[in-house]
């Protein structure tokens, strides 16, 4: 499995790393320590003290520095060793690697490729937990499956009709009709109308409405989905084009799939719905329970899929009409990976 | 480890797969889905959807068909894809493998070899849970050990005297005297008398009786044991030959050892004793508890044996006089495996 | 990782193997059975019956012999098979290996090298749980980390200042000043004074005293540490030399790190303090809780260190001034291992 390295990966929820906090994470098989100094500066370093390879994530933030709590080596924010207890001289070049990191949309992002190419405008422009007028729910799952399988799941939402038949109870339109799919420079977009169905496509829900659904999927594993409900007939009146007017109902969800190792991944997700009252602060608990059920259905299926693949590594997939979005994204990834190998320090675009 | 592929393996208890049920099993490293249609027809397929390799065992029976519940591919009983949601044309040749399967003696059996050779008269002719006049108990254990080690255990019952000294409390006759062992076309038979011992060979049990014990072991890992108790002196009066008369006490047990992977196995077992009253329907609970204790003694020992073998893969076993039955069976397996490779589609015998 | 084989390794607490007891242990990847006969004689054999490789540690002591409880093979204390149930003749040469074993200082020790070199005077001369006038505590931890990492931890006590900052609350003197380190024939010695600190070096403890600390570390992974407290000024009065007088406070701890496999180890430890009253028999429970906390801090760090090493097998350590003791010990091990390969049956020294 190949992942684009010149990309921002979600390492953690920003609110989980307060001032002075130290957190060990893993991305693309590499162990990293993400920490926030007393003044709030984020730093990401290789999570391995140069002395005896102990994890710095078991260390302690001291002001703007991070101390390994095994034998006390002290590192600054550039990864340089600035103190060795019991030794006056510090040899040149004692350092761990620094990974560019930044905070956006409620997440801490880490750049896994060439630091010179780590432009913050390449952080996927997704709506996050900082939007006003919404209530939010968030969740996180660790998968015993490769990130690629989760990405494939999210790129081909025809599974909604079957895998989530009992939880989200959405119609077979997801599988029977195909969305309009468009390539972007660092992602793919998928758009569609659900005509004359329950709000948000829920089977049996009344009154019938038209729902516009759009998702945008960015390298490497970040996406946002938007559901907007309109009066019956809107889709046809717009000739199936994208609506501009305010919807009667709306929610969006932003998600990130971070590869931990080749066969494990961490899946971050948040959902947002419009506040129903000014004082509403929490996601509706019944709706949230349905979301969690749906997400566990994906996990069960995808982890079983991974086990199947491990047991039959030579088995080949068969592409279908519904796979278009996944195929476009895979092609984009290949292009970007090839660019990285020929031009390892590209300008951001 | 080599197993005979042209053989019926027990996949499950038949009663565990009702109409419309779908069950994932593993045999000889292969993942299979066993399902029963609405009309009761059993089908066994490769448990891997051709689309994205998701397990069909997480699927849903629809009439006489099986639907993958990831993206909705529909399979018929021959393994052919008959529907791809969202796609009108189904390319030729989209299918998964079918394994012959049948129901006998209370079990679902799957044929792992050449389908053309899958004759149902090759199902081992063992007494099952369908015999009238008996009460039954059944159990099932998953072993972290190869099926071969469990087979060896069952083929050399001299272990009864030592391993089960505290549970079954049987005499050292099991180890000190050797049974009469005979080869059959697809198995081995072992017979013996226990003279002047407690009923069923239990130490200290009164009055003393003669017990005739026989087991037949079939490729590849299916066996039935029979204990029949007679009045003292019967064994000598019959010159140690097999008795024809009705015993005063009797039970039998039928067991199957199914290799899941090279180092894991599923062990199915049932015990049957004569009904003591017409209204007796359950196995005596104290006797059953003893049986379960005995079976867990085997599991502890055999799993430890497997770990020992893994740690010392070059260590060799030493054959003894008590190993005759295991040696005959191993020889039979070698012969059958060799036949498979030279004549892969034999006629059933 | 290379370990000296011509060395005594701690297999178990002697009191855990009573007369007639049978215990399975693992040392240097080898499975051993340690058992004590009815008359109290210790024997250590390969834990693998020659018949079918079942573990003898699931066996039964019968007088001065050990019976495999799978099929009943009987072994004497020299590892020879003396009975095969159901078979009169016992072929020559049926035996398992014997490992020299002995009981000293409250532990059972096993010699993993050439039996001809197994002199008991090579058992490390450490104080054990048989000293009078002390109360004892003991503990044991199984590590998911190689013994070498635990040895390194114990050879470089500068970690005390950081890793145990919250539990043992000892001063940074451990890390800031270096001990006097001396090589011995089969070990290293480290000595130091803590001047004008709390008793036993605990931060903030009053009154201030001088504490003399010494540890001796023996091949391959056995050590004893001694803490002795004196009146303020004693260290200077002695010019930093080793004290002869009775201390005002004292404790010692003896520990052993036994490699189970390349990446697992069993860590035995005992602590002893002077009896405060004649009738005191138990270690102070609050002090013991602190000790257990400190030992779990080591375990968390060292297991994380092992995981880091596994994930970055090419990463190199950086030596510091505090590593002197570890470096001397590593050099000693290399010398002894080289001697073993050129002169496999040395005289004890």
């Amino acid at each position: 499995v190949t992942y684009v390295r010149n990309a921002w990966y979600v390492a953690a929820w920003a609110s989980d790393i307060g001032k002075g906090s130290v957190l060990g994470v893993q991305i693309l098989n590499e162990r990293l320590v993400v920490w926030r100094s007393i003044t709030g500066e984020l730093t990401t370093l290789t999570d391995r003290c140069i002395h005896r390879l102990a994890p710095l994530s078991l260390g302690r933030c001291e002001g703007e520095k991070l101390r390994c709590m095994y034998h006390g080596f002290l590192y600054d924010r550039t990864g340089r060793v600035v103190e060795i207890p019991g030794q006056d001289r510090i040899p040149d070049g004692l350092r761990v690697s620094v990974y560019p990191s930044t905070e956006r949309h409620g997440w801490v992002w880490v750049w896994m490729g060439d630091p010179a190419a780590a432009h913050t405008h390449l952080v996927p422009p997704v709506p996050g937990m900082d939007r006003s007028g919404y209530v939010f729910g968030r969740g996180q799952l660790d998968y015993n499956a490769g990130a690629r399988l989760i990405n494939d799941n999210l790129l081909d939402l025809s599974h909604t009709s079957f895998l989530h038949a009992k939880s989200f109870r959405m119609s077979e339109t997801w599988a029977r009709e195909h969305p309009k799919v468009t390539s972007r420079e660092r992602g793919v977009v998928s758009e569609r109308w659900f005509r004359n169905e329950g709000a948000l496509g829920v089977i049996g829900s009344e009154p019938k409405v038209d729902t516009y659904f759009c998702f945008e999927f960015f390298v490497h594993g970040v996406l946002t989905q938007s559901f907007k409900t309109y009066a019956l007939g809107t889709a046809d009146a717009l000739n199936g084009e994208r609506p501009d007017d305010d919807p009667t109902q709306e929610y969006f969800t932003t998600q990130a799939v971070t590869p931990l190792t080749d066969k494990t991944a961490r899946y971050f997700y948040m959902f947002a719905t419009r506040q129903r009252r000014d004082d509403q602060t929490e996601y509706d608990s019944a709706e949230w329970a349905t979301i969690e059920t749906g997400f566990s259905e994906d996990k069960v299926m995808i982890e079983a899929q991974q086990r199947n693949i491990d047991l039959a590594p030579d088995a080949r997939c068969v592409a279908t009409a519904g796979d278009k979005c996944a195929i476009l994204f895979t092609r984009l990834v290949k292009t970007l990976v090839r660019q990285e190998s020929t031009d390892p320090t590209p300008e951001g675009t």
Side-chain angles (χ1 to χ4, degrees), chain A:
Chain A
V1 185
T2 307
Y3 293 93
V4 176
R5 293 197 67 91
N6 279 336
W8 292 100
Y9 287 88
V10 170
W13 299 96
S15 59
D16 286 352
I17 309 184
K19 287 178 181 170
S21 285
V22 180
L23 184 73
V25 301
Q26 190 166 21
I27 304 178
L28 291 175
N29 289 304
E30 294 176 35
R31 297 250 181 174
L32 311 174
V33 55
V34 182
W35 55 286
R36 201 189 290 268
S37 74
I38 293 304
T39 61
E41 297 295 326
L42 274 173
T43 308
T44 302
L45 305 174
T46 296
D47 190 15
R48 200 167 54 232
C49 180
I50 54 119
H51 176 218
R52 291 193 165 270
L53 317 177
L56 297 175
S57 54
L58 293 177
R60 177 173 74 190
C61 172
E62 298 186 358
E64 302 299 305
K65 301 195 175 65
L66 179 68
R67 187 181 296 279
C68 177
M69 285 304 276
Y70 198 179
H71 301 91
F73 278 51
L74 191 67
Y75 294 84
D76 68 14
R77 292 192 53 225
T78 71
R80 202 164 54 91
V81 175
V82 294
E83 186 198 336
I84 299 176
Q87 182 172 316
D88 292 335
R89 207 182 73 79
I90 298 172
D92 285 343
L94 288 194
R95 63 185 320 129
V96 292
S97 297
V98 190
Y99 293 74
S101 45
T102 189
E103 184 174 343
R104 287 282 190 292
H105 320 310
W107 278 322
V108 171
W109 304 76
V110 174
W111 181 266
M112 296 302 292
D114 174 22
H119 307 287
T120 51
H121 69 263
L122 292 176
V123 173
V126 289
M129 292 185 72
D130 42 8
R131 284 222 171 158
S132 63
Y134 290 81
V135 291
F136 299 95
R138 73 173 227 199
Q140 180 175 330
L141 287 170
D142 278 359
Y143 264 68
N144 283 316
R148 184 182 64 81
L149 297 184
I150 308 174
N151 291 344
D152 285 347
N153 168 284
L154 293 164
L155 286 158
D156 179 2
L157 294 176
S158 73
H159 78 269
T160 307
S161 304
F162 300 100
L163 185 54
H164 304 309
K166 290 180 181 166
S167 54
F168 296 146
R169 297 185 298 120
M170 287 177 172
S171 79
E172 292 208 356
T173 308
W174 284 97
R176 304 287 172 199
E177 294 177 10
H178 300 299
K180 178 179 157 202
V181 176
T182 322
S183 280
R184 296 282 170 85
E185 203 157 4
R186 291 178 69 84
V188 290
V189 174
S190 171
E191 299 166 274
R192 67 197 309 170
W193 279 95
F194 295 88
R195 289 170 170 83
N196 194 21
E197 299 199 350
L200 311 178
V202 173
I203 297 170
S205 163
E206 293 292 342
K208 299 298 185 223
V209 293
D210 285 359
T211 296
Y212 173 76
F213 171 77
C214 174
F215 79 76
E216 190 156 4
F217 198 100
F218 303 89
V219 285
H220 197 156
V222 178
L223 79 152
T224 187
Q225 298 179 348
S226 156
F227 291 79
K228 293 180 177 174
T229 293
Y230 296 89
L232 211 56
T234 307
D236 287 343
L238 291 171
N239 278 321
E241 292 299 308
R242 181 182 309 205
D244 284 329
D245 292 351
D246 265 358
T248 57
Q249 251 188 296
E250 181 204 4
Y251 77 85
F252 70 86
T253 166
T254 300
Q255 307 177 7
V257 182
T258 299
L260 306 182
T261 65
D262 291 348
K263 293 189 182 171
T264 59
R266 184 161 290 171
Y267 186 12
F268 302 90
Y269 49 92
M270 59 82 88
F271 280 75
T273 53
R274 287 270 175 83
Q275 274 180 319
R276 287 168 197 165
R277 306 172 311 277
D278 279 357
D279 60 348
Q280 186 191 2
T281 57
E282 306 249 317
Y283 212 89
D284 177 86
S285 63
E287 282 173 25
W288 188 255
T290 300
I291 287 169
E292 292 285 17
T293 301
F295 275 72
S296 67
E297 288 164 345
D298 287 313
K299 187 171 194 285
V300 167
M301 181 62 81
I302 292 169
E303 292 183 340
Q305 183 192 14
Q306 178 73 64
R307 285 193 298 272
N308 257 1
I309 290 170
D310 292 344
L311 281 166
D314 296 331
R316 311 286 300 180
C317 292
V318 168
T320 68
D323 293 333
K324 183 174 176 191
C325 204
I327 289 167
L328 284 183
F329 186 75
T330 301
R331 197 176 297 163
L332 170 63
V333 166
K334 280 189 185 159
T335 303
L336 291 174
V337 167
R338 197 167 44 235
Q339 280 174 11
E340 283 180 3
S341 63
T342 56
D343 176 15
T345 57
E347 284 304 294
T349 50

